[in-house]
Amino acid sequence: MNSHRIPGEKMENGGSNISRMTSRVYSVASLKAIRAIRDRQLERALDESKSGRIIEMVKLMIVISVPVVTLIVLASVLLTEAIVLYNATNKAIESIHRATLLSRFIGNLQRERGMSAMFLSSGGENNDSFNALSVLRAESDSTLTSIWWPEYGLDIGGKLYTKPEVHVMMAEWRKMVDSDGVTFRNNILFYTEINESIMTFTINLVTIPDNYELSKTVVSGDALLHLTDIAGIQRALGSTFFTLCAFSTVDLQWFSELEGRSIELLAIALQYDKTVKESYTTKQESSQFVSDLLRSKKGLMWSEAYKENCRRFDPEERFYNSREWFHNMTTYIDIIFQIRNELSFHTSGILTDISKKSQQDVTIYAAVQIVVTIVCLALSIWYAIYMNNMTKCLRDYARHINHKTKELALEKRRTEKLLYQLLPRKIADQLKETGGVSAEYFASVTIYFSDIVGFTGICSNISPMEVVDLLNSLYSVFDACIDKYDVYKVETIGDAYMVASGLPETNGLNHAMEICGMALDIRDAVQAFRTACLGEKKLFLRTGVHSGSCVAGVVGTKMPRYCLFGDTVNTASRMESTGEAGSIQISEDTKSILDQWGACSLQCRGRIEVKGKGTMLTYWLYGMQSPRTSRVQVIV
């Protein structure tokens, strides 16, 4: 009996086993599904992480490439500058060499000009001067043949001349000189025009790299070159003087002007280069007799007694004096040319040193650029790989913190800016630190009130939006005026404008001057104020000012405002309401403070009836001078 089983027991056990098996199948299926979802999420996360790291790697490479590229660009810039300097110095050396050859031709023409003038002044009858002139002409032709000349020609008198054309032009002129077909003045002007054209070309030909000392040297050299030409003209004029024993009025004036210019040019040359000054001093000492003789000869040109004696000289004696002047001036001009050649040689030496240094720099910078490029690229790649893994989390976290910090700082600045617009900085800072502000008593302040005369009538003729635009434009002008003074804008109510000085920071007794100066500026600004809604119609302010004591504090918790309390406020308002259009009415208390400065122009209005105050003595404020310069002017 004990082994007999109750019918249905096996069935129940079988059903229980099936349920457990079904639950196990479901559990396995759920686990597989969860694992599949997790694997997909992990794979997706790995893909996102990989792509994100690649992006971060690219960003890091870009960031690192900035200093690398900067170094490469810097090396390239230095290399380019060295190459440019090397080419510029070589070009400058070549231009100085060419300019020196052209200067030699200028010297030949100067001597030929002087001897031609001497020959013409003698009437073409002096064989010695003609023989000397022939020699000088041959030297000029020889120099012109050997020197460098621009291929396109050189501008002389507005026309380009090549070498052969210059030869032809000079040959034709010499024929006219030999036949006595020109005046000595025209002869001087002919050669002078050629010389000035060549000098202008020579000066422009010399290109010096940017160097302050070399630029001064070039200026000195240019002055010396012009000095030689002026001295050459003086040589020609002087030779004529000693041949003819007289100067025409025009030639005397010309000689005097040339003398002044030569002194000026010599001063410039000596001032701009110390080597020129040293060389000139040395050569002047070694040829002092030339300077003394020239000085004495120039003195004879203004001597009427010499002119009378000279007319008694025979032609040979006159020619001797003329030839003596010519040779001494030639010696002087040769000295100037020697100094200029020495200066050119000195400049070429400096440029040669700069060229060698720049050539070395080219080599060094080229090597540096190659090394920097290779090293920077190698280090950049290594650094990017090394830092990528270590800085990823820190970079993300820092970016997040930095973003939040910027947002917080921006919001803080906005809040502070808004708070400082509503309240004085001192009060706002105290309110932030303590949460409250105690009322403060001020023994002496000045309060300003103003409103627009006829504002109600104006508002009735324009739209509400135009009223807002009008007040906004007008108060923007007011705000621009008060920024120049130590004042505080208390509030604006409609067309009323209230300003105070002496609070929240005390300023002694300056508050009256600050408010009065501001009131005058605002009055002038309103007179010039124009707006589209009013057309050409002008606005007029009624202004009142009063000085005294008051209490200031923050009122309210929802919308706190910095307000002023006391009889001074009421009195200032009465000064405005009892005033007149376009005028500034101040109280006797304000006037007594202004008396201590003595800087305002006032007119006594007299006693007026003031509501709540009885009669008060008031003044009109018209203008203001500089403080402490004069007493107050009161017109009774």
Side-chain angles (χ1 to χ4, degrees), residues 205-368:
L205 177 65
V206 178
T207 56
I208 298 295
D210 291 337
N211 185 295
Y212 178 70
E213 293 300 327
L214 284 178
S215 299
K216 292 172 61 177
T217 300
V218 170
V219 171
S220 180
D222 294 342
L224 290 175
L225 185 59
H226 282 290
L227 177 60
T228 59
D229 194 58
I230 289 176
I233 299 174
Q234 287 183 302
R235 175 175 57 188
L237 289 173
S239 298
T240 304
F241 170 80
F242 287 107
T243 302
L244 300 177
C245 297
F247 261 150
S248 66
T249 304
V250 175
D251 292 338
L252 181 61
Q253 183 179 358
W254 190 11
F255 190 91
S256 301
E257 291 175 354
L258 292 174
E259 183 68 14
R261 289 178 59 193
S262 65
I263 294 173
E264 181 181 356
L265 289 171
L266 180 60
I268 292 173
L270 298 179
Q271 178 183 357
Y272 273 76
D273 194 282
K274 62 180 182 180
T275 59
V276 171
K277 185 175 183 180
E278 294 172 357
S279 179
Y280 181 80
T281 302
T282 302
K283 288 180 170 55
Q284 188 181 37
E285 292 175 353
S286 62
S287 58
Q288 185 63 40
F289 69 96
V290 175
S291 300
D292 295 339
L293 185 60
L294 289 175
R295 194 178 300 109
S296 63
K297 289 288 186 181
K298 290 177 182 178
L300 295 177
M301 296 178 184
W302 281 267
S303 174
E304 294 296 332
Y306 174 78
K307 294 176 184 179
E308 291 295 331
N309 293 331
C310 180
R311 293 186 182 94
R312 301 187 184 96
F313 296 161
D314 56 38
E316 290 298 327
E317 191 172 359
R318 291 184 184 182
F319 179 73
Y320 174 80
N321 292 333
S322 177
R323 190 64 180 269
E324 184 182 28
W325 164 263
F326 184 90
H327 284 304
N328 283 283
M329 282 297 294
T330 301
T331 302
Y332 173 74
I333 294 172
D334 289 342
I335 290 174
I336 302 300
F337 266 113
Q338 290 174 11
I339 296 174
R340 189 177 185 280
N341 291 335
E342 292 172 359
L343 185 63
S344 299
F345 180 78
H346 175 69
T347 305
S348 298
I350 296 175
L351 289 172
T352 302
D353 294 338
I354 296 176
S355 177
K356 292 179 180 179
K357 178 63 169 58
S358 60
Q359 187 176 15
Q360 294 175 358
D361 291 342
V362 169
T363 304
I364 294 173
Y365 292 146
V368 169

Side-chain angles (χ1 to χ4, degrees), residues 141-154:
D141 292 339
S142 175
T143 303
L144 178 60
T145 303
S146 61
I147 64 173
W148 173 87
W149 195 268
E151 295 181 1
Y152 56 84
L154 195 148

Side-chain angles (χ1 to χ4, degrees), residues 46 75 79 81 87 92 167 199 205 238 243 425 449 557 574 598:
L46 289 173
L79 177 61
E81 289 179 352
N87 293 333
H167 274 293
M199 282 192 296
L205 177 65
T243 302
R425 182 179 292 270
F449 276 92
T557 57
R574 296 287 184 269

Side-chain angles (χ1 to χ4, degrees), residues 187-207:
N187 180 72
I188 293 175
L189 294 176
F190 171 79
Y191 285 100
T192 300
E193 182 180 17
I194 298 176
N195 280 343
E196 288 181 350
S197 300
I198 299 176
M199 282 192 296
T200 301
F201 179 80
T202 302
I203 292 171
N204 295 329
L205 177 65
V206 178
T207 56

Side-chain angles (χ1 to χ4, degrees), residues 412-614:
K412 182 180 178 182
R413 286 196 297 270
R414 289 175 179 171
T415 304
E416 289 180 346
K417 183 178 180 181
L418 180 60
L419 184 60
Y420 290 149
Q421 289 177 348
L422 296 175
L423 298 172
R425 182 179 292 270
K426 172 184 175 182
I427 303 302
D429 292 339
Q430 186 178 354
L431 193 62
K432 288 191 298 182
E433 294 174 2
T434 63
V437 178
S438 302
E440 185 176 4
Y441 173 78
F442 294 90
S444 181
V445 299
T446 299
I447 299 176
Y448 165 98
F449 276 92
S450 69
D451 72 345
I452 302 173
V453 178
F455 183 73
T456 304
I458 294 174
C459 292
S460 63
N461 295 324
I462 60 177
S463 66
M465 290 301 296
E466 289 177 328
V467 172
V468 174
D469 292 338
L470 170 63
L471 290 177
N472 183 55
S473 300
L474 184 62
Y475 287 160
S476 297
V477 174
F478 285 13
D479 293 343
C481 290
I482 70 174
D483 285 341
K484 298 182 291 185
Y485 297 91
D486 182 17
V487 297
Y488 173 68
K489 177 182 175 182
V490 180
E491 63 180 357
T492 57
I493 303 175
D495 63 323
Y497 198 85
M498 180 181 178
V499 182
S501 180
L503 58 81
E505 297 289 344
T506 60
N507 55 7
L509 293 178
N510 293 337
H511 48 78
M513 289 291 294
E514 297 291 337
I515 288 292
C516 290
M518 179 205 71
L520 291 168
D521 277 359
I522 290 178
R523 183 196 64 185
D524 296 340
V526 170
Q527 291 177 355
F529 179 77
R530 296 291 184 276
T531 182
C533 63
L534 297 179
E536 293 298 320
K537 185 177 180 180
K538 293 184 179 180
L539 294 178
F540 293 92
L541 282 185
R542 185 169 46 239
T543 305
V545 178
H546 178 61
S547 301
S549 61
C550 73
V551 175
V554 176
V555 178
T557 57
K558 293 295 183 181
M559 296 180 63
R561 299 293 297 170
Y562 187 72
C563 299
L564 308 184
F565 304 93
D567 184 66
T568 301
V569 179
N570 297 330
T571 305
S573 178
R574 296 287 184 269
M575 290 295 101
E576 177 271 324
S577 61
T578 60
E580 295 179 358
S583 298
I584 303 172
Q585 183 173 219
I586 68 172
S587 65
E588 188 175 13
D589 293 333
T590 303
K591 185 261 181 185
S592 63
I593 297 175
L594 294 177
D595 282 345
Q596 301 181 39
W597 295 99
C600 297
S601 176
L602 306 173
Q603 180 180 1
C604 181
R605 182 183 184 184
R607 292 191 173 274
I608 61 172
E609 187 68 23
V610 178
K611 183 179 179 180
K613 300 293 290 184

